[in-house]
Every structure is written in C-alpha cells, then in structure tokens.
Amino acid sequence: MASKKKQVDARASSRLVVDGIKQAPSRAMLRAVGFQDADFAKPQIGIASTWANLTPCNMHIAELAREAVSGADAGGGKGVLFNTITVSDGISMGSPGMRYSLVSREVIADSIETVVGAEGFDGFVAIGGCDKNMPGCAMAMARLNRPSVFVYGGTIRPGGQRRDIVSVFEAVGARAAGKISDEQLQEVERTAIPGPGSCGGMYTANTMASALEALGLSLPGSSAQEAVSDDKRADSRRAGEAVVHLVKEGIRPRDILTRKAFENAISVVIALGGSTNAVLHLLAIANDAQVKLTLDDFTRIGKRVPVLADVRPSGRYLMSELIAIGGIQPLMKMLLEAGLLHGDCLTVTGRTMAQNLANTGMYLAGQEIVRPLSDPLKKDSHLVILYGNVAPEGAVAKITGKEGLSFSGRARVFEGEERATEAILAGTVRAGDVVVIRQEGPKGGPGMREMLSPTGAIMGRGLGDKVALITDGRFSGGSHGFVVGHISPEAAVGGPIGLLRNGDVVTIDAVKRTIHAEISAAELRRRRAAWKPRKPYATAGVLAKYAFLVGSAATGAVTAPRGNS
C-alpha cells in the first residue's frame, strides 16, 4: 500500500495570530491595511524588500516586491509587504561608513527574523540586491526555517565602454600615477553606472546570487538576470507563487540547506571565479542552518573544481555578457554531468537540482566566456585557504594564477585602510612590498571593511603583479591582484598580524597554502608579551555591540554562533 502523504497545516503560524475570538483585535488591525474576510483563511506570505533609493543595487526592488506580492496572491496566499534596510558598499567604500557594511548583514537577518516571527507569516519571499542583504536574507531563511524563496534583484547593465564601479576605483589609482587626466577620471565617473542593478562583474553580489541559486534557495535562473528586465519581474512573481506551494507541501529551508547543498554552492562559486566574501557568507549561512562547514571544506572541494568563467575582476567579461549566453544554468549542468554537483539536492521548486537542470541546454559553440572542463582557466580553485604563523586560524586568498602562485617581500605595515591608501597613492608603496593593513577585522574595525580603495589604487598604479596586500579585513569582489584577507586571529585580539613590523619578510605560497613571516618563535613570543590592545573604535551604539558579539572571520564573523560549535 502506498504511504500516505504527510498532512501539512499551511497556516500553522498565521493561525495563531488571526484565528478565533481571542484574535479579533489582530484581525481588526489587518482589516485596516487591506485584509478582507477571505484573506484570513489563506496562508500569509511576507515579502521582505530591501528597497532603498540610496544605491543603484536596490533602487528598483520596490517594483519587484510588488510583483512578488501579486505572485503570492495568485498562488492562493495573502502577500504582505515589509521593508528591511540596506547600505551601499560602493558609496561607503574607503570611508568610516564602510564599518557598517558587514554589520548590516546581521541587522538585516535580525530584522527579517523579527518581522516574520512577530507577524506569524507562514512563509516569505526575501528580495536582495547588494552584497550584504543577500546573505542576510539567507541567514534569516535558515534561522526561521519557514518556507521561503530568495529573489536576486539582478545585475546592472554595462556603463560606457563596458565600465563598472571597479573601473572608477582603478581610474583613481591611474590618476594618482599620472596616467589619466582629471577630465578623463570625471568621464569614467559619469559613465560607469548607468542605472539600477548590482555591480556588473563576478563581484560579491553576483557571486552570492549564484551561490544562493546553487544552494537551492532561489528559482532556476534568478541569479543571472538583468535588474531591468521582464525576466526579473517574472522571477519575482513566480517566487511569490512558489512560496505558497512550499507552504502547502511543508518544504522548509533546512530541508534544502544540507551539507551537500553547501558543497554545490562552493563548487559553483569556484567555477565562476567568485568573490572571497562567499567564504565568509557561506560559513555564516551554514551556522544558521546548523550545518557544519569549515574553511577546510573550501580547500577540499577546491582541489577538484576548476575555474571556468572568464569574468571580471580577474577576467574579461561582465555578468550581462554571461547572461546573454545563457547564465549559470549551463555551467551548472556541465558541473553536474562531470560529477562535481550533487544532483539529488532539494530546491525551492520542490524538485531536485538534477530535475531542474534536466532540460537545460549547453552553451553555444564559439562563446569564450565559460571554458570547457577540458580547458579551464585554472585547474583548481582560485580561493586558497592559507595557514601559517601569520594566520594560525586561517586566511583567504584570491589567486587566479595571473598574479603568480607565490610572493615574498618586505612588510610595510599600516594601522587601518586610510593610511595604506594614502601611501599607495603617494607612491611610497613600491615593488616588492607586502602591504599589511591591520585593525580592520570583525572586532578591530569593527566590521571588516573591504579593501577596494587600496587594491584599486594598486592596480591603477600598475603594481598589481609587483606587490601583495594582506589584511585582517576583507576584499570587495572587485578586488584583484595578489591579495590575502580574513587573516585570523585578527590584530585586535592579539593575532600575529598585529605583531608584524616594517621590514619583516612575509612569504605567501598558494601551492603550499601557507602564509609565513620569517620571525622566530622566540621573537614572536617577545612581541606578544609586549603587545597591548588598542582602544576600541566605538564604545557605544551598534558598532560597539557588534564588536562585543562578533566571532572570528574563520567561522563566518557571526554574532550568534551555533551549529558550527
């Protein structure tokens, strides 16, 4: 006899808020915002929007959120729209405001959890379009474990002469080196950002969108659509409908967020040549999903997965050009057929990854953006986890091979990003230097600022293959060159990066996966004994609260560790 399908109460959460005589006041409040009698008997679907008119990444998301509400209503639910915050990395980059960037990931996850929990939504759609609100949305999905779908806001279209935001950062360095004029810099500034959407290369936003699709949290194709497109509006509507289906079927995020799903996400990030931030964010999402994931998993998977996509910042092509040849679905099918993806992982369609990809075609012959597995750009991962006396808990390097596979040079130490950027632009950083930027870790920053300003200046001055940069902070997905971030333990807690001095010889070896300073153990002990913590950057407010709660970058810089402990 066939087993009976499990009975699912599609209104298990909202029933506690709106059913019965006792909840008449709740219904009265909801009538004022548009509920009709019939709506109280429907699954209630929250639509978490990250709309804000302060950044092109999110300026269009209000329209997508309304489409998701329409989809939820059409699917038999009752869509209810609410907002959470976003901040702009591109605007705050290189300034004190960038300290709030990673903090915003926690605020977003907390706020979505708060609203969904308080309002008794049976399921929800989360729509994100910038670096931190995407993992923030996914963390909330994992924590709440209520049926939910993530929608990516979509990528920006190319600026003039195929420019993007990184073109502007690198033009600043070129101006400092005298390679371009003030007028040329202004022309780049005026033409790089043509309208809505996330930064146009395989930077953190597009990397995380691809990772979340590979995790199974978004509908097929969601990660590879332009922000201003019919496809993106349709994706948002379908997400609303899909959540109602998930509610009725009882499919929850932790049914999807298995260890195999995280391995799929890591494989796709590597194949795309994605951002180092994916390491930090996937560790954080796994923490909330109560899945054990460590830095060493990136090394293990990276030994067998090659880099295939020739995309910026290290490559030639923009996300919109990858979309034009079919997006990431054909790449995922290549990986699946090669045994590099787990096809049995459940997704928000209610089907498995293999079922979703069954009818996906392959890339047309002649395209040069995604290489075949037989001829990769790099035979193993560009995300290299390093250990050594500089980073006993680990560090994350982005080594594509174009920079070389090792670097040894004299440490030039800076306390914070601003001093380093000034020195690079002034020409005092020279070939052979290892630029050390510290006091930028999760606690010390606080908030792990991204080092796009100094790396952009390095590239603009033509030093990309002549210097290395290491930090206890992190990097924008737009950074490239010989860069190592997430160095743990960080300087603020007495980590060895805080003990380095000018002139110390530091060697980075991507083959051996080591980062080592030529300092004896006895000398390190002497320096550690003399070390004193610096005064905190903030003693009140959200930055101080974050610094007090946050853990190591090696475990995702989370403020509420669980699951990985």
Side-chain angles (χ1 to χ4, degrees):
M1 180 182 293
S3 61
K4 291 184 179 179
K5 184 178 178 181
K6 66 177 181 180
Q7 293 294 311
V8 175
D9 182 358
R11 297 183 52 244
S13 297
S14 63
R15 191 182 300 284
L16 301 176
V17 176
V18 301
D19 283 12
I21 295 172
K22 179 175 68 72
Q23 297 307 121
S26 306
R27 294 193 296 275
M29 295 283 283
L30 289 168
R31 290 180 192 280
V33 298
F35 271 58
Q36 303 297 316
D37 286 345
D39 294 328
F40 295 113
K42 299 173 182 177
Q44 290 190 22
I45 307 299
I47 310 296
S49 168
T50 57
W51 172 84
N53 202 32
L54 56 81
T55 169
C57 309
N58 294 63
M59 62 188 287
H60 62 299
I61 283 179
E63 178 186 2
L64 301 184
R66 289 191 292 270
E67 294 284 358
V69 170
S70 297
D73 292 348
K78 174 59 178 175
V80 182
L81 178 61
F82 68 96
N83 258 79
T84 182
I85 66 157
T86 193
V87 299
S88 173
D89 291 2
I91 295 171
S92 62
M93 194 76 71
S95 80
M98 187 65 193
R99 288 183 168 87
Y100 290 90
S101 171
L102 191 59
V103 176
S104 76
R105 185 188 75 178
E106 309 304 304
V107 175
I108 290 161
D110 290 350
S111 66
I112 294 174
E113 177 190 357
T114 299
V115 174
V116 172
E119 298 303 309
F121 293 135
D122 299 296
F124 65 99
V125 176
I127 309 174
C130 203
D131 297 11
K132 307 311 165 304
N133 53 52
M134 288 190 281
C137 288
M139 289 163 68
M141 293 166 74
R143 284 183 201 172
L144 286 156
N145 199 32
R146 296 191 193 182
S148 45
V149 174
F150 175 77
V151 174
Y152 177 41
T155 193
I156 196 170
R157 289 174 176 168
Q161 300 183 41
R162 299 178 65 248
R163 291 175 176 140
D164 60 17
I165 186 62
V166 176
S167 306
V168 189
F169 280 96
E170 294 185 358
V172 171
R175 177 65 192 92
K179 296 179 180 179
I180 62 174
S181 66
D182 287 340
E183 291 75 19
Q184 288 172 307
L185 173 58
Q186 190 174 73
E187 196 266 335
V188 174
E189 173 191 326
R190 286 177 169 171
T191 60
I193 311 295
S198 300
C199 300
M202 193 51 65
Y203 312 142
T204 303
N206 283 314
T207 297
M208 286 311 302
S210 302
L212 295 182
E213 182 174 332
L215 276 173
L217 293 182
S218 57
L219 296 175
S222 182
S223 68
Q225 295 164 340
E226 289 186 334
V228 182
S229 67
D230 291 339
D231 286 343
K232 183 45 64 186
R233 287 186 286 273
D235 178 51
S236 302
R237 285 194 301 276
R238 287 196 302 270
E241 295 175 0
V243 170
V244 180
H245 174 72
L246 293 175
V247 168
K248 292 176 178 177
E249 294 295 315
I251 298 174
R252 299 173 179 270
R254 290 187 203 164
D255 299 326
I256 294 168
L257 292 172
T258 62
R259 183 171 172 80
K260 284 184 176 181
F262 282 96
E263 292 182 350
N264 283 348
I266 294 169
S267 296
V268 168
V269 167
I270 292 169
L272 289 169
S275 167
T276 53
N277 278 319
V279 178
L280 195 73
H281 296 325
L282 288 172
L283 289 171
I285 297 165
N287 176 75
D288 278 317
Q290 301 185 19
V291 171
K292 186 171 178 59
L293 193 72
T294 70
L295 287 175
D296 293 339
D297 290 311
F298 289 83
T299 297
R300 175 177 56 82
I301 295 167
K303 289 179 180 179
R304 59 189 179 89
V305 178
V307 179
L308 300 175
D310 188 9
V311 288
R312 293 184 185 178
S314 300
R316 296 175 290 169
Y317 295 98
L318 289 160
M319 188 66 184
S320 59
E321 293 165 324
L322 177 59
I323 291 169
I325 65 165
I328 74 165
Q329 290 273 296
L331 179 144
M332 291 172 68
K333 187 164 187 175
M334 288 170 56
L335 296 175
L336 178 67
E337 292 182 349
L340 298 175
L341 285 187
H342 301 290
D344 58 343
C345 288
L346 185 64
T347 74
V348 291
T349 64
R351 301 186 297 273
T352 65
M353 180 70 71
Q355 290 170 330
N356 288 345
L357 293 171
N359 296 320
T360 299
M362 304 305 282
Y363 294 117
L364 295 176
Q367 63 83 24
E368 298 181 346
I369 302 174
V370 179
R371 303 278 280 272
L373 285 161
S374 59
D375 183 27
L377 288 164
K378 190 172 185 288
K379 66 180 178 62
D380 54 8
S381 181
H382 64 301
L383 300 175
V384 182
I385 308 302
L386 306 172
Y387 293 95
N389 67 352
V390 175
E393 292 179 1
V396 182
K398 188 177 185 180
I399 308 294
T400 66
K402 293 181 179 181
E403 314 84 356
L405 295 174
S406 63
F407 192 98
S408 186
R410 306 171 303 277
R412 191 176 289 268
V413 179
F414 300 95
E415 307 294 340
E417 176 188 4
E418 286 85 355
R419 293 179 182 179
T421 302
E422 288 171 8
I424 296 162
L425 293 174
T428 57
V429 168
R430 298 176 182 174
D433 286 344
V434 175
V435 177
V436 179
I437 304 178
R438 63 194 183 196
Q439 305 298 338
E440 294 288 4
K443 288 184 178 294
M448 283 188 90
R449 288 192 292 178
E450 293 179 343
M451 302 294 119
L452 184 54
S453 291
T455 60
I458 285 169
M459 299 305 295
R461 290 193 68 90
L463 294 170
D465 58 349
K466 299 178 178 65
V467 304
L469 189 153
I470 69 173
T471 180
D472 53 5
R474 59 198 172 91
F475 296 106
S476 161
S479 291
H480 55 126
F482 212 104
V483 297
V484 181
H486 307 200
I487 289 179
S488 302
E490 61 175 293
V493 299
I497 188 173
L499 308 179
L500 294 178
R501 296 175 181 172
N502 286 325
D504 288 340
V505 175
V506 177
T507 299
I508 305 157
D509 191 321
V511 177
K512 295 180 180 177
R513 300 186 178 88
T514 56
I515 178 167
H516 188 81
E518 293 182 15
I519 308 169
S520 70
E523 174 62 16
L524 273 176
R525 285 194 295 272
R526 281 192 290 270
R527 293 185 188 183
R528 185 170 287 110
W531 175 84
K532 293 181 180 179
R534 296 186 71 193
K535 181 181 177 181
Y537 179 84
T539 56
V542 69
L543 292 181
K545 184 191 302 183
Y546 179 86
F548 178 77
L549 293 171
V550 73
S552 170
T555 52
V558 297
T559 55
R562 63 178 184 178
N564 283 347
S565 58

